[in-house]
Amino acid sequence: MISVIDSIGLSVIKTVIMVRDFVVLTLRTLVYTFTPPFRVSDIFKQLYFVINESAPIVIFCVCSAAAVTIIESSFHMKIIIQNDALVPGFAALLILRELGAVVSALLVTSRVGAGIAAEVGTMQITEQIDALKMLGINPIRFLVVPRLIASVIGGVVLSILANLVCLYVAMLVSQYKLGHSAGSFIVAMRAFVSMQDLYFAAIKGACFGFVIPLVSCYFGFRCKAGAEGVGLATTNSVVTISISIITIDFILSWIFSYFY
Amino acid sequence: MSDAQVQFINVIKSFGDRTILKGISFEAKQGEILFILGTSGTGKSVLLKNLVGLLRPDTGEIWVDGEEVSQISEEKYFDIRKKCGMVFQHPALFDSLTVFENVAFGVRKHYDYPEEKIKEIVKKCLKLVHLDDVEEKLPQDISYGMQKRVSLARTVAISPKILLFDEPTTGLDPVTTNAVNQLILDLSKTLKTTSLVVSHDMHCALAIADRIIVLDKGNIVDQGTPAELKASKHPLVKEFLMEATTHA
Ligand SMILES: Nc1ncnc2c1ncn2[C@@H]1O[C@H](COP(=O)(O)OP(=O)(O)O)[C@@H](O)[C@H]1O
Ligand SMILES: [Mg+2]
């Protein structure tokens, strides 16, 4: 019994310490983000990495998601109310408010988040981070800041891209599979969603983009020696980021609901 | 405070409930080559990292060039690290930079030299470690032994007063090992660089060390000049000596 309480207590303490360290990392990163020197070329390099790595899979997955969403909702609506005229509206709502931003963020996590954790973790265990410090370089400024800025910008761009592609594919599917005309799709869509929804999706993209590199770098910096160390850092960051994205999505959707 | 350039006074360092350094005291004078011998996992790397603030001791004092550094801020360590070049156990080269840029990296950061001068320094340092024609290559395109030598060149390039070597010759062939030993010797004789060399190679230690410290399970078990150590009665030291003579 005692040992159960002990181990619960221990893991609570460990979690508190981890959260504290993460908050410290976040605050320091923010301070360095807004103070010179700015590493502009690094930011562009990272931005290219984020978009180039993720855009193809984001577009591919979002196309499938769009097709499934619209066909499924049409199928069910036809069963219930024998009419799927409202489907474009519902599908657009679902895409803009949830699907576009979340699906693209989860895909970015699997590419970029895992990539950063493995990269920083490898640098940690091969003493490259120590070497940076020895040569007078602050690893947070050098590694975390450019990735953070690139990932926030990339998050916004990819979220908007994913939403637009998703809507376009939904329209094509409804046109060729369900027999709605493009015009009627757009009219039905406009009744449910507005430009504001796209802005909110962009904000979500920015928030998800903010979390991804911070969590990945956090686990990368704590990476333990050995090949398992890097694997563990990667897995831990992907799991943590995915949970965070779902949680943040819930919180943001709840906040945004006051504006609709 | 004695005339030592590097001094540890009763340094203790633990990770969780494992105490790695159990009260280490030693000193190194300017220009001296001090070898720190020990089997792997005894905390040799931890000892060096405490000196340059990559790890901080739990208790004890660490003096570098007349300054107590164990509690100073990360910002203040910038100047200490400029004085102390460290060659890591891993080559620790930056993967995304060419060999030239790796060596130039610290020089650019620490000094405000024109490009011409930087080129000259990089060339000179690569020559010191017997490397040429690799400047434009990436670290992953050259052999492990070459990477270790580039990392040596990178450290020497900022002309530190104190050089720390973490197993500089582990994994190198005998010819390169000799070249590296010769380099350590030359730097200490010509530039009066103080060198702390972590190693488990008694053969190298006997060849170039001024003094040797033997570390075991977090304690210093014996120390002295090579001649003194050869007469040591400590079983671990004897074992190291056996190794050295069979290799020679
Ligand atoms: N950052 C760290 N966190 C926890 N344990 C560590 C850390 N660094 C080293 N150790 C432990 O300290 C011991 C000594 O390590 P090290 O100094 O690398 O040995 P060596 O003498 O081979 O260089 C090892 O058991 C290692 O697991
Ligand atoms: Mg070591």
Side-chain angles (χ1 to χ4, degrees):
Chain A
M1 190 61 213
I2 300 281
S3 74
V4 173
I5 295 174
D6 269 4
S7 66
I8 292 174
L10 209 64
S11 44
V12 168
I13 292 171
K14 269 189 188 156
T15 313
V16 170
I17 291 176
M18 282 177 76
V19 170
R20 183 203 62 190
D21 290 351
F22 179 77
V23 170
V24 169
L25 175 68
T26 306
L27 294 179
R28 293 177 115 187
T29 307
L30 282 177
V31 170
Y32 295 136
T33 302
F34 295 104
T35 49
F38 302 109
R39 310 184 53 88
V40 180
S41 67
D42 273 358
I43 295 172
F44 278 108
K45 218 162 86 187
Q46 291 301 325
L47 189 59
Y48 175 78
F49 171 74
V50 170
I51 295 188
N52 191 43
E53 283 283 298
S54 318
I57 48 168
V58 165
I59 289 173
F60 175 77
C61 293
V62 133
C63 288
S64 320
V68 171
T69 309
I70 197 138
I71 290 173
E72 277 292 314
S73 45
S74 154
F75 176 77
H76 289 286
M77 252 186 232
K78 273 184 181 155
I79 290 178
I80 298 166
I81 54 171
Q82 282 81 42
N83 179 342
D84 68 354
L86 291 175
V87 159
F90 281 135
L93 199 66
L94 188 60
I95 289 168
L96 277 174
R97 293 219 176 139
E98 294 300 327
L99 219 55
V102 174
V103 168
S104 57
L106 289 175
L107 292 167
V108 172
T109 305
S110 68
R111 287 298 263 188
V112 178
I116 293 175
E119 184 189 13
V120 175
T122 306
M123 290 185 80
Q124 174 65 43
I125 63 170
T126 57
E127 302 180 305
Q128 289 181 54
I129 307 260
D130 285 342
L132 281 175
K133 289 187 192 162
M134 284 307 295
L135 296 172
I137 305 286
N138 182 321
I140 297 181
R141 199 187 273 292
F142 189 75
L143 295 172
V144 190
V145 171
R147 283 165 180 73
L148 181 75
I149 297 173
S151 179
V152 169
I153 299 174
V156 172
V157 171
L158 287 170
S159 174
I160 293 175
L161 179 74
N163 277 301
L164 296 181
V165 169
C166 203
L167 287 175
Y168 182 67
V169 171
M171 189 174 87
L172 288 185
V173 172
S174 75
Q175 209 172 334
Y176 292 107
K177 187 89 172 65
L178 307 178
H180 298 280
S181 73
S184 72
F185 181 93
I186 289 171
V187 170
M189 185 180 95
R190 292 290 298 167
F192 281 81
V193 299
S194 62
M195 209 50 197
Q196 183 185 270
D197 289 293
L198 193 62
Y199 298 149
F200 284 161
I203 295 175
K204 279 187 178 177
C207 293
F208 300 152
F210 182 81
V211 175
I212 292 170
L214 283 172
V215 174
S216 292
C217 288
Y218 172 78
F219 282 107
F221 283 143
R222 296 165 45 96
C223 187
K224 293 260 160 41
E228 334 77 293
V230 177
L232 206 62
T234 312
T235 316
N236 281 341
S237 38
V238 170
V239 171
T240 310
I241 296 167
S242 305
I243 296 172
S244 313
I245 285 176
I246 304 290
T247 315
I248 293 170
D249 180 57
F250 167 73
I251 295 170
L252 288 178
S253 297
W254 185 63
I255 295 173
F256 292 159
S257 71
Y258 287 100
F259 295 89
Y260 297 137
Chain B
M1 181 70 220
S2 60
D3 62 339
Q5 196 166 32
V6 173
Q7 190 177 20
F8 274 53
I9 304 174
N10 213 5
V11 170
I12 298 178
K13 172 72 189 172
S14 343
F15 294 110
D17 49 9
R18 289 176 58 214
T19 307
I20 307 294
L21 304 179
K22 300 170 184 163
I24 299 286
S25 304
F26 71 87
E27 56 177 61
K29 294 188 181 58
Q30 195 190 351
E32 194 173 33
I33 301 178
L34 180 70
F35 262 68
I36 301 165
L37 291 189
T39 49
S40 38
T42 40
K44 304 182 299 294
S45 301
V46 170
L47 188 150
L48 284 190
K49 285 181 182 173
N50 271 286
L51 176 59
V52 289
L54 296 173
L55 294 171
R56 298 300 181 103
D58 303 339
T59 59
E61 291 174 24
I62 298 174
W63 292 79
V64 179
D65 219 9
E67 198 179 341
E68 209 286 310
V69 296
S70 64
Q71 304 301 333
I72 64 174
S73 70
E74 185 71 16
E75 284 71 34
K76 284 220 188 97
Y77 244 113
F78 184 78
D79 293 321
I80 304 294
R81 288 176 185 153
K82 193 169 161 184
K83 287 183 202 163
C84 304
M86 178 148 174
V87 182
F88 291 92
Q89 193 166 346
H90 294 92
L93 299 175
F94 306 126
D95 309 318
S96 55
L97 301 180
T98 61
V99 166
F100 180 91
E101 285 304 324
N102 263 286
V103 179
F105 197 91
V107 186
R108 291 192 205 284
K109 180 72 195 175
H110 281 298
Y111 304 98
D112 214 3
Y113 289 153
E115 197 56 34
E116 285 300 298
K117 175 131 195 209
I118 292 176
K119 261 197 189 130
E120 201 180 294
I121 293 175
V122 172
K123 278 227 155 61
K124 196 188 83 195
C125 292
L126 285 173
K127 211 164 151 207
L128 275 178
V129 292
H130 302 273
L131 283 175
D132 43 25
D133 275 345
V134 292
E135 283 170 35
E136 293 316 316
K137 295 212 167 98
L138 286 171
Q140 52 270 34
D141 298 333
I142 58 178
S143 73
Y144 179 77
M146 286 165 124
Q147 291 177 17
K148 275 201 93 147
R149 283 185 278 159
V150 173
S151 119
L152 215 94
R154 179 177 67 181
T155 306
V156 173
I158 58 171
S159 28
K161 287 160 102 176
I162 303 166
L163 270 170
L164 312 172
F165 298 90
D166 197 346
E167 308 200 8
T169 56
T170 306
L172 295 187
D173 60 90
V175 177
T176 318
T177 300
N178 281 340
V180 169
N181 284 337
Q182 194 59 45
L183 176 69
I184 297 173
L185 209 55
D186 288 348
L187 289 170
S188 119
K189 295 295 163 273
T190 54
L191 302 175
K192 282 285 190 195
T193 313
T194 309
S195 304
L196 265 61
V197 187
V198 155
S199 172
H200 47 225
D201 188 348
M202 181 62 108
H203 185 60
C204 291
L206 292 176
I208 63 169
D210 293 315
R211 251 164 4 95
I212 303 172
I213 287 177
V214 182
L215 210 62
D216 190 32
K217 301 195 183 81
N219 288 305
I220 294 178
V221 293
D222 207 349
Q223 58 179 312
T225 60
E228 285 165 2
L229 272 207
K230 274 184 185 163
S232 172
K233 295 271 179 292
H234 195 278
L236 181 70
V237 183
K238 278 183 163 171
E239 210 170 301
F240 271 122
L241 284 167
M242 289 265 284
E243 277 289 306
T245 43
T246 47
H247 272 290

